[in-house]
């Protein structure tokens, strides 16, 4: 063997050389698209039609469809699976109920990247269990305008906080083998269809959170509906290519928001995937990236126009009696065609090249491969959810998010001696306001939703805590005495052509008389009211969809629609602030009725759940509303402490719905120890704030929020949440709603909204204009006290700053604390460059035991010391002296040092 080794070696080298030559030859035939060999090889094997399959949405097989927002067809021939896209934030919205998490504003209020990551894990776990591949969140636009209808979905007003919380949530979602799709790129911080933002502000405020998301490894980004500086965001080469690809280095794929593609040539500007893509068979819609023929224009039926707005509002929950009448405005540019040309024509005339399609398909395929979906990690079956593990995180987030805004006389936490003379007032004291308003989010599991009242009784062991509903959102069943048909008692039920009479409409599981699954029937008759007044009618249902008509006109309907893009099974939190007390969906409408008879009709039809059908017709009469309110005031007068629970959804802006402000005023007038618990997701006017002892903001805390609220009120844990948004005294205090600057509002000037406040969004505007907020950005009290000392600021090796401070818990209770680092304006400001008075550049959340001290180290990244130079189109480190401050809010800065750059 030894003698023959050189010959054998030469032979082996020859074989290896042939193999290497073959590899090189093959490599030369495979174009480099993504740089990933597996992806590029697959692209090389794909037909043009298969590549197109990866860049536009389609319709999943109805046999396995899960009510997801969108579906991307795969390429079975090559083992490439399809992708399901499900809405948030937060949570997961499909046809299967999933757990409700704390609102995004609450997650931001934790000022904890750990909490954000844990919430991402919950989202990812729920996605995975429900067979979802792409989670359409986080939402990292900026809450610059309180009139913005999606502001409640954000992480607040600050770009740095938003970026840190968003990045952590992405890490959590993607740790579960689920893609996170960050939205909406870019300038989608207003209801305006056209936003204009200067280049420095665009980079430093509105792009910055997306930059953090890209650094966190986000798989994909959703482009927005609006025009940005005159060009549609989904066809904007300046933002999608120059900024997102070239400057930030994003490698994933860009998906259009649903209906935000307006021309096939958007693919040339950086758009990779069109959603929802192909219109439904025989349906309407606009699509460009597929090869299906365009559907014929739909004929508008004037008879149907009456219910168009109602149908849309019902999908998002409609309005409720306490809210002002909805103002229907232009829905924006969804479905607008800049050019009707579709992909086949664009390829033929050279407006789109196959190379552009290959590039876009490659970006999608790269992420499919990166997430292991071709290697056994694709999962579309629905499996058991991790309910208990998720619940622990949701409950802790609810506690960590709570912001104690005010606490005069240390009235909170409640003492054990207080509980024997304590009353909780308001419907959200008896039931937890878990989600606030339905939208593109999970609507929760009613079986998990224990109200604060029951939770406090359970935790404290005191069953004597009193309760007054004030506003009964479940109401009582309309009695048989008020219902008739054809001069006979009761309503006529028509089912499959057969008729029978029901004295009342009250079919529920609790009563043991629920109707069979998939029932379709109608009740007709007359509702007779004893006298004129404002009556609140409640259509309550589950396992079905239902519509109520009054005096020949459609009054309201449940919000789920079969085949819809947001789930097709009616869920209990769909249409009201709360489900009914027995877990039904609750469509509530106020209607002025004259004394006497009114024609009424209720119809139901299947919602595809195959569940027992429950339907009930309740009301809340003017007399009962008055009696319940008087009982609440009497209970407050007789109690030592009154805790009033208040809620809001979206309307009115910067206000509380209904007569809740009057309720607080009247309770405070009869009880000097009045405490207010808020369930909101935006600041609201608090005209009574000086008349109450304490105010606790709980946000919309999710399914487990009753336990979170109870633990905080009873002092089982200390609140340490901080405001992620400035709480002004007046709506006009904010930059976007300052009447002196109409160009900043969502209505804008000449149809264009200009962010003329520049980098001074949120607290930065308040600082610049020297406006005193009611509660500052970063504000939040505790059940203990903290002392700051020993601030040190040093330049870090990476060009940033290392900040250290000692914090001592000087009170009697263990608690978290949230130190915040703010950076001031440099002493040398180049011409034309904007700087805020101060900006948040670092924060942490630390736990410190009573009497103990902790040395806290915080790092300020180099980017936070830089500004975007519009002259050089680059990031530049500011020079000169700058103040570094550390404190507990943007207006409570305990220590400061000056650095020189």
């Amino acid at each position: 063997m030894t003698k023959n080794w050189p010959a054998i070696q030469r032979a082996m080298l020859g074989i290896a050389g042939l193999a290497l030559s073959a590899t090189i030859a093959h490599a030369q035939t495979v174009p480099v698209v993504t740089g990933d060999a597996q992806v590029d090889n697959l692209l090389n094997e794909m037909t043009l039609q298969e590549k197109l399959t990866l860049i536009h949405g389609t319709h999943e097989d109805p046999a396995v469809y899960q009510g997801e927002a969108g579906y991307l067809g795969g390429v079975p021939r090559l083992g490439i699976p399809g992708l399901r896209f499900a809405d948030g934030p937060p949570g997961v919205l499909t046809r299967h109920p999933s757990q409700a998490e704390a609102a995004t504003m609450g997650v931001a209020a934790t000022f904890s990247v750990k909490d954000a990551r844990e919430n991402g894990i919950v989202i990812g776990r729920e996605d995975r269990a429900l067979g979802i591949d792409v989670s359409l969140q986080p939402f990292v636009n900026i809450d610059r305008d309180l009139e913005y209808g999606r502001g409640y979905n954000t992480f607040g007003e600050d770009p740095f906080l938003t970026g840190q919380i968003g990045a952590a949530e992405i890490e959590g979602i993607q740790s579960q083998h689920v893609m996170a799709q960050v939205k909406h790129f870019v300038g989608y911080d207003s209801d305006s269809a056209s936003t204009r933002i200067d280049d420095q502000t665009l980079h430093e405020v509105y792009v910055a959170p997306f930059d953090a998301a890209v650094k966190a490894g986000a798989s994909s980004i959703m482009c927005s509906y609006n025009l940005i500086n005159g060009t549609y965001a989904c066809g904007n080469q300046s933002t999608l290519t120059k900024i997102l690809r070239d400057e930030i280095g994003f490698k994933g794929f860009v998906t259009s928001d649903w209906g935000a593609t307006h021309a096939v040539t958007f693919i040339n500007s950086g758009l990779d995937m069109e959603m929802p893509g192909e219109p439904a068979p025989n349906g309407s819609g606009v699509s460009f990236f597929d090869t299906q023929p365009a559907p014929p224009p739909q004929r508008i039926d004037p008879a149907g126009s009456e219910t168009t707005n109602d149908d849309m509002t019902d999908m998002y929950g409609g309005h409720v009696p306490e809210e002002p009448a909805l103002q229907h405005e232009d829905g924006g540019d969804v479905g607008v065609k800049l050019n009707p040309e579709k992909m086949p024509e664009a390829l033929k005339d050279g407006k789109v090249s196959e190379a552009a399609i290959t590039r876009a398909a490659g970006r999608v395929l790269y992420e499919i491969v990166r997430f292991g979906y071709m290697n056994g990690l694709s999962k579309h079956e629905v499996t058991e959810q991790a309910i208990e593990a998720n619940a622990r995180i949701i409950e802790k987030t609810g506690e960590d998010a709570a912001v104690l805004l005010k606490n005069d006389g240390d009235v909170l936490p409640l003492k054990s001696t207080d509980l024997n003379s304590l009353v909780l007032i308001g419907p959200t004291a008896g039931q937890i306001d878990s989600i606030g308003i339905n939208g593109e989010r999970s609507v929760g599991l009613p079986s998990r939703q224990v109200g604060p009242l029951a939770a406090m009784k359970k935790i404290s062991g005191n069953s004597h805590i009193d309760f007054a509903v004030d506003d009964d959102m479940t109401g009582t069943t309309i009695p048989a005495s008020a219902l008739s048909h054809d001069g006979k008692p009761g309503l006529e039920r028509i089912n499959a052509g057969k008729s029978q009479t029901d004295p009342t409409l009250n079919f529920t599981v609790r009563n043991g008389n629920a109707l069979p699954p998939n029932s379709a029937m109608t009740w007709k008759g007359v509702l007779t009211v004893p006298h004129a007044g404002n009556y609140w009618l409640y259509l309550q249902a589950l396992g079905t969809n239902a519509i109520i008509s009054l005096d020949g006109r459609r009054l309201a309907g449940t919000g789920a629609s079969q085949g819809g893009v947001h789930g097709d099974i009616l869920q209990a939190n769909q249409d009201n602030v709360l489900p009914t007390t027995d877990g039904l969906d609750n469509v509530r409408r106020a209607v002025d009725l004259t004394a006497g008879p009114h024609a009424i009709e209720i119809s139901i039809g299947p919602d595809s759940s195959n569940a027992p059908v429950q339907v009930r017709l309740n009301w809340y009469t003017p007399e009962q509303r008055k009696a319940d309110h008087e009982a609440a005031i009497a209970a407050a007068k007789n109690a030592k402490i009154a805790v009033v629970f208040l809620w809001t959804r979206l309307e009115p802006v910067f206000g509380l719905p209904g007569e809740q402000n009057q309720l607080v005023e009247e309770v405070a007038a009869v009880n000097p120890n009045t405490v207010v618990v808020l369930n909101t997701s935006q600041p609201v006017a608090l005209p009574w704030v000086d008349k109450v002892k304490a105010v606790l903001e709980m946000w919309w805390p999710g399914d487990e929020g009753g336990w979170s609220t109870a633990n905080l009120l009873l002092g089982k844990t200390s609140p340490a949440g901080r405001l992620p948004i400035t709480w002004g005294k007046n709506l006009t205090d904010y930059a976007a709603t300052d009447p002196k600057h109409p160009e900043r509002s969502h209505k804008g000037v000449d149809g264009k909204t200009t962010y003329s406040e520049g980098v001074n969004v949120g607290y930065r505007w308040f600082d610049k204009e020297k406006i005193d907020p009611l509660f500052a950005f970063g504000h939040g009290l505790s059940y203990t006290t903290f002392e700051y000392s020993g601030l040190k600021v040093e330049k870090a090796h990476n060009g940033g700053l290392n900040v250290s401070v000692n914090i001592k818990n000087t009170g009697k209770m263990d608690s978290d604390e949230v130190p915040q680092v703010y950076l001031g304006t440099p002493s040398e400001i180049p011409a034309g460059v904007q700087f805020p008075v101060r900006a948040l550049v670092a924060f942490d959340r630390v736990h410190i035991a009573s009497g103990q001290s902790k040395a806290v180290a915080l790092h300020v990244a180099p980017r936070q010391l830089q500004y975007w130079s519009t002259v050089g189109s680059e990031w530049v480190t500011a020079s000169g002296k700058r103040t570094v401050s550390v404190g507990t809010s943007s207006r409570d800065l305990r220590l400061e040092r000056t650095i020189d750059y």
Side-chain angles (χ1 to χ4, degrees):
M1 290 287 293
T2 303
K3 291 180 181 179
N4 293 331
W5 174 246
I8 295 171
Q9 191 176 41
R10 284 194 298 271
M12 291 179 66
L13 288 173
I15 293 168
L18 289 171
L20 179 60
S21 297
T23 301
I24 293 171
H26 177 67
Q28 289 173 343
T29 66
V30 178
V32 176
V33 178
T34 67
D36 182 283
Q38 182 183 1
V39 175
D40 289 346
N41 277 313
L42 284 166
L43 288 171
N44 194 55
E45 293 183 49
M46 292 171 69
T47 65
L48 175 60
Q49 184 60 48
E50 288 171 337
K51 293 173 187 175
L52 286 171
T53 300
L54 292 186
I55 66 170
H56 67 79
T58 187
H59 302 280
E60 190 174 20
D61 181 351
V64 293
Y65 165 74
Q66 293 301 318
E68 66 270 12
Y71 180 72
L72 185 81
V75 183
R77 180 179 72 85
L78 297 174
I80 301 171
L83 298 178
R84 286 186 184 146
F85 297 67
D87 261 321
V92 183
L93 182 56
T94 71
R95 69 193 305 273
H96 290 273
S98 66
Q99 288 169 277
E101 296 180 63
T104 56
M105 201 68 75
V107 175
T110 67
F111 271 65
S112 168
V113 294
K114 180 182 178 182
D115 279 336
R117 190 175 296 109
E118 291 286 304
N119 275 266
I121 289 172
V122 172
I123 293 166
R125 275 202 296 239
E126 287 283 83
D127 275 309
R128 193 77 175 151
L130 298 174
I132 299 301
D133 308 287
V134 185
S135 193
L136 301 178
Q137 57 194 308
F139 190 126
V140 298
N141 297 103
I142 300 298
D143 194 13
R144 69 169 287 274
D145 182 0
L146 293 187
E147 292 187 325
Y148 174 40
R150 299 292 298 277
Y152 72 96
N153 280 134
T154 71
F155 291 127
E157 69 189 18
D158 183 74
F160 178 72
L161 177 65
T162 295
Q164 295 298 299
I165 297 296
E169 195 166 277
I170 290 164
E171 292 170 359
I173 292 170
Q174 296 194 161
S175 72
Q176 303 304 301
H177 310 295
V178 172
M179 298 183 192
Q181 184 161 116
V182 189
K183 57 191 188 186
H184 308 77
F185 195 78
V186 63
Y188 189 60
D189 319 88
S190 167
D191 283 328
S192 172
S194 179
T195 57
R196 293 184 175 271
I197 311 173
D198 71 84
D199 202 37
Q200 184 190 349
T201 300
L202 181 63
H203 280 80
E204 293 185 15
V205 178
Y206 300 100
V207 171
F210 290 94
D211 190 1
V214 170
K215 288 180 171 61
S219 74
S220 52
I221 286 175
M222 181 188 293
C223 53
S224 51
Y225 288 117
N226 55 291
L227 292 107
I228 176 73
N229 294 330
T231 303
Y232 279 109
C234 288
N236 194 312
Q237 190 164 12
S238 176
T239 56
L240 291 181
T241 299
K242 183 175 181 292
I243 294 177
L244 188 59
R245 299 290 179 187
D246 299 342
E247 293 176 9
I248 296 180
F250 180 56
K251 302 298 184 186
F253 61 91
V254 175
T255 303
S256 73
D257 206 336
W258 273 230
T261 306
H262 304 296
V264 69
T265 52
F266 277 23
I267 195 171
N268 298 328
S269 299
L271 178 64
D272 301 309
M273 183 188 298
E274 178 187 34
M275 278 291 175
E278 298 175 10
N282 303 317
S284 62
V286 176
S287 65
F288 298 92
F289 285 16
D290 61 276
T291 58
Q292 300 299 316
Q298 271 202 319
R299 183 180 68 85
I300 303 300
D301 182 2
S305 62
E306 178 186 326
T307 61
T308 299
N309 282 336
D310 285 339
D311 290 343
M312 284 301 297
T313 55
D314 284 348
M315 188 178 81
Y316 289 98
H319 63 282
V320 295
E322 297 86 352
E323 293 174 343
L326 291 174
Q327 299 297 316
H328 295 295
E329 297 187 5
D330 183 7
D333 293 339
V334 176
V336 167
K337 289 184 180 182
L338 296 179
N339 186 322
E341 188 174 59
K342 294 190 62 163
M343 191 62 78
E345 293 78 20
L347 283 165
K348 185 176 180 180
D349 63 24
K351 290 182 181 177
V352 173
S353 67
E354 184 172 351
I357 294 169
T358 302
R359 182 186 65 243
R363 290 168 176 166
V364 177
L365 185 56
Y366 179 86
E367 296 300 325
I368 290 174
V369 169
R370 179 164 82 98
F371 277 77
Y373 293 164
M374 293 188 65
N375 298 318
L377 289 180
S378 177
K379 175 187 175 294
H380 284 178
E381 66 272 20
V382 176
T383 54
E384 185 178 359
Q385 296 160 260
I387 302 294
E388 292 299 333
N390 292 342
R392 289 192 292 272
I393 293 171
I394 295 169
E395 180 179 338
K396 185 177 188 302
T397 303
E399 292 178 8
D400 288 355
V403 181
L404 184 60
L405 297 173
K406 176 180 179 178
N407 194 24
D408 289 353
D410 293 332
V411 66
L412 292 179
L414 299 170
K415 289 73 175 173
S416 58
T417 53
D418 297 332
L419 304 185
N420 291 323
S421 185
L422 173 70
V423 62
L424 308 187
I425 299 173
T428 51
Q431 294 173 261
I432 188 61
D433 183 5
S434 61
I435 70 166
I437 187 169
N438 169 54
E440 297 178 349
R441 62 158 299 163
S442 55
V443 295
L445 306 178
S447 61
R448 301 277 327 175
Q449 295 167 7
V450 175
L453 174 67
M456 288 179 68
K457 288 181 176 181
K458 177 73 173 177
I459 293 169
S460 68
N462 190 320
S463 61
H464 301 294
I465 300 171
D466 199 6
F467 169 63
V469 71
D470 181 68
D471 177 5
D472 184 355
M473 291 189 179
T474 295
T476 56
T477 301
I478 296 179
S481 60
L483 300 173
S484 63
H485 73 284
D486 300 326
K488 295 176 288 188
L491 295 176
E492 181 185 22
R493 187 207 306 186
I494 302 169
N495 180 16
K498 298 180 180 179
S499 174
Q500 67 183 84
T501 298
D502 293 315
T504 62
L505 192 55
N506 187 5
F507 298 93
T508 68
V509 169
R510 179 175 289 184
N511 286 345
N513 65 343
L515 300 168
N518 302 312
S519 294
M521 55 189 68
T522 300
W523 289 264
K524 293 183 178 181
V526 173
L527 168 65
T528 301
V529 298
H531 54 77
N534 185 256
Y535 288 79
W536 294 6
L537 301 184
Y538 299 171
L539 175 62
Q540 301 166 349
L542 207 65
T544 186
N545 272 307
I547 295 174
I548 180 172
S549 297
L550 193 68
D551 291 326
R553 293 177 63 87
R554 182 184 190 275
L555 179 63
T558 53
S561 58
Q562 193 162 354
V565 297
H566 295 99
D568 58 0
I569 291 177
L570 184 64
Q571 299 182 36
N573 254 332
Q574 168 71 42
D575 290 299
N576 186 39
V577 186
L578 305 166
T580 66
T581 52
D582 58 344
L584 305 186
D585 183 52
N586 199 3
V587 178
R588 304 168 60 240
R589 297 292 186 268
V591 58
D592 291 319
L593 296 178
T594 56
H598 297 270
I600 192 167
E601 179 177 319
I602 297 93
S603 60
I604 61 170
D607 72 346
S608 83
S609 65
N610 296 315
V613 169
Q614 303 182 72
V615 60
R616 181 169 59 209
L617 183 60
N618 279 15
W619 67 358
Y620 199 21
T621 64
E623 295 82 7
Q624 191 60 52
R625 294 203 304 276
K626 182 174 183 291
D628 286 348
H629 179 70
E630 291 174 350
I633 302 306
K637 185 175 182 180
N638 293 326
K640 176 183 176 182
I641 296 177
V643 183
V644 184
F645 285 71
L646 307 178
W647 59 271
T648 187
R649 302 199 306 171
L650 298 181
E651 299 289 342
V653 173
F654 201 68
L656 292 166
E659 298 177 348
Q660 294 182 96
N661 281 326
Q662 178 185 335
L663 172 65
V664 178
E665 295 276 2
E666 292 182 28
V667 169
V670 299
N671 191 316
N673 296 312
T674 296
V675 173
V676 170
V677 175
L678 294 171
N679 286 125
T680 76
S681 193
Q682 295 277 44
V684 295
L686 305 178
W688 36 258
V689 69
D690 293 332
K691 301 175 183 178
V692 302
K693 284 286 182 69
V695 182
L696 178 65
E697 172 62 87
M698 288 300 305
W699 313 103
W700 300 330
D703 285 342
E704 311 300 320
W707 301 106
S708 306
T709 305
N711 283 331
L712 287 154
L713 290 175
L714 295 171
K716 301 301 180 182
T717 189
S718 173
R722 300 292 184 263
L723 287 179
I725 185 168
T726 304
W727 202 298
K729 294 178 180 177
N730 305 288
L731 183 60
T732 54
D733 288 344
Y734 296 87
T737 43
D738 181 345
K740 296 190 296 293
H741 292 278
E743 79 281 0
R744 296 177 186 163
S745 72
H746 68 97
K747 294 181 179 179
V749 174
D750 296 328
K752 301 177 181 66
T753 294
T754 302
Y755 293 10
S756 60
E757 71 273 15
V759 301
N760 291 303
V761 63
Y763 64 92
R764 301 174 178 192
W765 170 255
F766 281 75
D767 289 343
K768 177 179 179 291
E769 297 297 311
K770 297 182 172 58
I771 301 170
D772 288 330
L774 184 60
F775 301 111
F777 173 85
H779 169 76
L781 304 177
S782 172
Y783 291 157
T784 188
T785 53
F786 294 94
E787 182 181 278
Y788 284 60
S789 64
L791 175 62
K792 294 180 181 179
V793 181
E794 299 176 341
K795 293 181 181 179
H797 293 304
N798 68 351
L801 296 174
N802 290 326
V803 178
S804 61
V805 64
N806 293 318
I807 305 176
K808 183 176 182 179
N809 184 337
T810 55
K812 298 180 180 179
M813 187 173 183
D814 299 350
S815 180
D816 288 355
E817 174 64 342
V818 180
Q820 302 161 43
V821 181
Y822 292 84
L823 184 64
T825 303
S827 58
E828 301 173 14
I829 302 178
V833 178
Q834 310 170 62
F835 284 96
V837 173
R838 65 182 64 86
L840 180 72
V841 292
F843 63 88
D844 198 3
R845 183 174 180 127
V846 296
H847 188 76
I848 307 175
S850 173
Q852 299 298 305
S853 296
K854 181 167 287 189
V856 180
L858 303 110
H859 180 68
V860 179
R863 175 60 54 82
Q864 303 308 312
L865 299 165
Q866 297 175 328
Y867 65 91
W868 178 258
S869 170
T870 57
V871 175
S873 294
E874 60 182 346
W875 290 100
V876 177
T877 300
S879 58
K881 297 183 185 299
R882 306 188 76 170
T883 300
V884 178
S885 306
V886 177
T888 62
S889 80
S890 65
R891 292 291 180 94
D892 184 6
L893 302 172
R894 310 284 181 88
L895 304 169
E896 66 178 42
R897 293 287 183 272
T898 300
I899 60 164
D900 196 350
Y901 258 83

